[in-house]
Each structure stands twice: as structure tokens, then as C-alpha cells.
Amino acid sequence: MRGHRERSGSLFSYVSIEERIPASHPLRRIRKLADQALDRLNPTFCELYASEGRPSVPPEQLLLASLLQAFYGIRSERLLLEQLHYNLLYRWFVGLSPDDPMWHPTTFTKNRERLLNDDVMGRFLEKLMAAPEVKPLLSDEHFSVDGTLLQAWASHASLERTDGQDDPPPPPSGPGEGFGQPKGEKKRAKGDFRGIKLSNKTHRSGTDPDALLARKSNAHPALPSYRGHVLMDNRHALIVDCKVTQATGTGERDAAKAMAADIPGAHQKTIGADKGYDTKGFVAEMRRIGVTPHVAQNTARSGGSAIDGRTTRHQGYAKSIHARRGIEKVFAWIKQWGGLRQFKLRGTDKVSAVFGLHVIAYNLIRLGNLLRPAAMEAA
């Protein structure tokens, strides 16, 4: 017998939201790890909020919602709240029941300085990597480091001169332009830099002064950018530290030195890196702090490579060079799937917090896959 479609649905539903989420869904393993790390952050949350007054949205729910935004590359917080309004999977992950009212979009704005900052993200990453299930997956000896350019939320049109000089008049744009016109009478349009050499010494973005002009190679244009850095554990390609700096010429090596110095333990460690780190200063600093630099040799550099046979003769050097390639997957995921090809926030502090959140999201996805066999056996 043919069934007929009911135009009006049932008034009440007695199915639990927990029953609607498949037992094998990857977000189950991810939420368990995230909840454990957030539980360990409870003392930090208690310090951030007043003991009296009207209760706010739980910080754990806001951070879980932000992780969802990173997992699925949702473009804005308004689109995230729209999904949370009707998507039962998202509501389950955040900890909302189907009847709970949705937050106002400004909830994220008002809590951004309190929660989405470098300090909270650093503690979040630390608590996540200190979990009992995660510790056996980590090594305390072999690491890799690398950096990538992060495009800032600013354009060439926002550049302003900082050296106190005036821009020269623009060159003629057509065959008849400029004839019969007094010299210097025509003014440049905003963002018109024809015939002007742009430099960080002479120009700076008015909308994001922390962003500096940088380019990936001579084939790419120089854009207002930041530089993101990560320190990866070589055993399972998990990120143990991250940092955002201004896009200076020595930013990658300076950040690598700082992160390598923070690795705990007085034992001998190794750190792999690409040819950009093959400088005498970086290699000498690594050896001074007890870290063996497994840096790819840059034989085209004037003066030769700073890495000699003392390092390359060991089998561990080739293994580190091979394992280092896994760090590129981190940047690829953050930019392609995490939606951070260009930031939508301005300032080093905010950019660093969002970058740290996406590093945590990458680790959670990675851990969900690594811990899957154990979870299936336990089930």
C-alpha cells in the first residue's frame, strides 16, 4: 500500500539527540578529547569570569563552537550560529539540546578578548597534548619546524606612507594623457602605486599596522601578511607548539629558536627544517642549546652549507628530512579546509589566537584518526 506524505509533522519528538549521532562518527572521539582538555582548563576559566552577576554562555561551549567553525571551514560566526540553529550534529557537539535558545552573534565578539587569545589557546594546546591517551603518541627527541605566510585582512589600498614624504604624480595611463597638463596637478587615486617602490620602511597598512609586506617568492606579489610557525613532533606529525610573528626576513629562524629552546628536558634532541634554515647563526644556536640541527643543505648558498658531514653521515638525518615533509600538511589543511588563507581579524594577538585554534583543530582531527583503532577495540 502506498504511503501518503504528511504535510504537518508531529508536535513532539521523543528521540534523544544522542541516539541520532552514529556511534562511529569521528566527532565522538574528537569531542571526548576536547572535553577532557576543557575540563582541565576549568581553573583558567574561573579566573576569567567574575564570581557574581548574570551567568554567561559557558566558555566550553563557545570554544567547542569555534572548533566546529575550524573543522568545517565555516566563513563567519553568523553562518556558524545559523548551522547551530538547525544542525543536530553541531548542537550535540557543542552541548546544546534541541530546545535551547541560540546565542546572539555578538556573543563571540564580546568574549573574543577573554577566550580567543594567545594565552588561553596555548593552555588549551598544552592540556590537549598532556592527555593520558596522547602522551604515548609523542616523542621527546625528534621534532620539525617550519613557517608559512598568512595573508592579513588588509589590501594594498590600505597602505600609507610612513616616511613623511609625498608620492610623486602618477605616470600617464594613456597615449594622450599628460599633454597640456601642468606637472604635478593630477593626484593619485587611493591604492594607485604605479611607479612607486613599496617597502616596509616607507609604507604600512592603515587598517592593520602589524601586517608587513611579504611574498612567498619572486613570482608572487608582496601582500600585507603575518608569518605562522609550528613545531611538529616527528613520531605522529602532531603539533606541540605554534607561534605567529610579523613577516620579517629572519622571522622563521627567530621563532624556531624560541620554540626549540622551550622543548623540555636536558637530553639531546633533533630538529628538522628546510633549506631556509641553513644558516651559520641558526645552526650554531641549535647546537648551543643542545639540539642537533637536521636542516636540509642549501648548496647554492654563497659560502656553502652550514651542515657538514658530522650531521649528514647519520641515518637519523635522512629520517628527519623525510619526516619534516609532514609539516606541510598542517599548513595545507589550515589554509584550504580551515579557511585561513586570509584572516578576518586584525592585529598580531587576534591572528595568533585564531591560528592557535586551528592548530588545535588539526591536532584533534589527527588524534581522532590515530586513536580510532583503540576506540573500536574498546567498543
Side-chain angles (χ1 to χ4, degrees):
M1 176 180 176
R2 175 189 171 184
H4 295 278
R5 183 172 56 175
E6 295 285 344
R7 290 293 182 178
S8 59
S10 59
L11 185 60
F12 300 103
S13 176
Y14 300 98
V15 179
S16 170
I17 189 174
E18 183 74 25
E19 297 177 3
R20 291 182 179 269
I21 310 302
S24 60
H25 199 284
L27 279 184
R28 283 192 175 274
R29 300 185 296 273
I30 291 175
R31 195 185 76 162
K32 180 181 178 181
L33 292 168
D35 283 342
Q36 291 175 351
L38 292 172
D39 288 342
R40 299 187 189 100
L41 280 177
N42 184 60
T44 301
F45 296 144
C46 292
E47 296 175 359
L48 296 176
Y49 289 84
S51 58
E52 299 178 352
R54 186 177 62 180
S56 67
V57 176
E60 295 88 350
Q61 291 185 344
L62 289 175
L63 288 177
L64 287 173
S66 298
L67 285 174
L68 276 178
Q69 186 176 3
F71 291 151
Y72 293 97
I74 302 175
R75 298 192 306 273
S76 68
E77 290 158 356
R78 288 184 178 271
L79 287 177
L80 172 64
L81 292 178
E82 180 184 335
Q83 288 283 334
L84 281 171
H85 186 71
Y86 55 77
N87 193 319
L88 291 181
L89 174 65
Y90 287 8
R91 279 184 169 263
W92 168 85
F93 184 84
V94 173
L96 296 171
S97 69
D99 299 326
D100 287 337
M102 204 58 258
W103 316 318
H104 193 272
T106 58
T107 303
F108 290 97
T109 306
K110 294 177 180 178
N111 288 274
R112 182 169 287 120
E113 293 184 2
R114 180 187 287 119
L115 292 178
L116 286 180
N117 57 65
D118 201 23
D119 182 48
V120 174
M121 291 301 107
R123 296 186 186 185
F124 193 178
L125 179 61
E126 179 184 352
K127 299 299 182 184
L128 174 65
M129 305 313 291
E133 305 96 320
V134 179
K135 275 189 173 182
L137 301 176
L138 299 176
S139 163
D140 60 351
E141 297 177 341
H142 307 293
F143 302 88
S144 295
V145 68
D146 203 357
T148 186
L149 280 180
L150 306 170
Q151 188 176 348
W153 192 245
S155 65
H156 281 163
S158 67
L159 296 177
E160 301 173 351
R161 291 197 75 102
T162 58
D163 57 357
Q165 299 183 9
D166 296 329
D167 291 331
S173 58
E177 187 176 347
F179 294 100
Q181 217 175 23
K183 186 177 181 180
E185 181 177 338
K186 186 177 180 182
K187 296 183 179 180
R188 286 183 178 270
K190 187 174 180 59
D192 182 7
F193 297 105
R194 292 176 299 162
I196 299 177
K197 184 178 180 180
L198 298 178
S199 169
N200 289 318
K201 296 181 179 179
T202 59
H203 292 79
R204 189 64 62 92
S205 172
T207 57
D208 191 356
D210 291 344
L212 299 180
L213 289 170
R215 58 184 177 183
K216 186 175 181 180
S217 67
N218 293 333
H220 295 80
L223 300 172
S225 307
Y226 291 91
R227 199 175 291 276
H229 317 269
V230 296
L231 181 69
M232 182 188 74
D233 184 274
N234 284 356
R235 178 173 291 178
H236 287 101
L238 293 169
I239 307 303
V240 295
D241 197 4
C242 63
K243 190 182 294 290
V244 169
T245 63
Q246 290 185 308
T248 59
T250 61
E252 287 191 353
R253 294 187 291 274
D254 293 340
K257 294 175 185 177
M259 292 189 292
D262 292 338
I263 300 176
H267 56 280
Q268 190 68 26
K269 299 171 280 287
T270 66
I271 188 165
D274 59 23
K275 294 181 180 179
Y277 295 82
D278 186 11
T279 64
K280 294 182 179 179
F282 178 78
V283 171
E285 179 62 19
M286 290 297 101
R287 288 173 175 161
R288 187 189 69 81
I289 63 177
V291 177
T292 302
H294 285 176
V295 179
Q297 290 182 301
N298 187 1
T299 55
R301 186 185 299 275
S302 59
S305 173
I307 302 296
D308 52 27
R310 293 178 298 173
T311 303
T312 59
R313 66 184 178 184
H314 298 287
Q315 294 181 355
Y317 176 78
K319 293 181 180 179
S320 292
I321 295 298
H322 178 74
R324 190 209 66 81
R325 300 172 184 172
I327 207 169
E328 300 295 343
K329 299 179 181 179
V330 183
F331 300 138
W333 183 89
I334 287 176
K335 292 182 178 181
Q336 181 68 27
W337 303 108
L340 285 193
R341 190 166 295 278
Q342 183 176 18
F343 282 82
K344 296 179 177 64
L345 296 172
R346 300 186 178 103
T348 305
D349 294 338
K350 294 180 180 178
V351 169
S352 180
V354 175
F355 183 74
L357 179 72
H358 282 69
V359 167
I360 294 171
Y362 175 85
N363 273 353
L364 285 170
I365 294 175
R366 181 79 177 146
L367 288 169
N369 293 329
L370 291 171
L371 298 174
R372 183 178 180 181
M376 293 178 63
E377 291 176 3

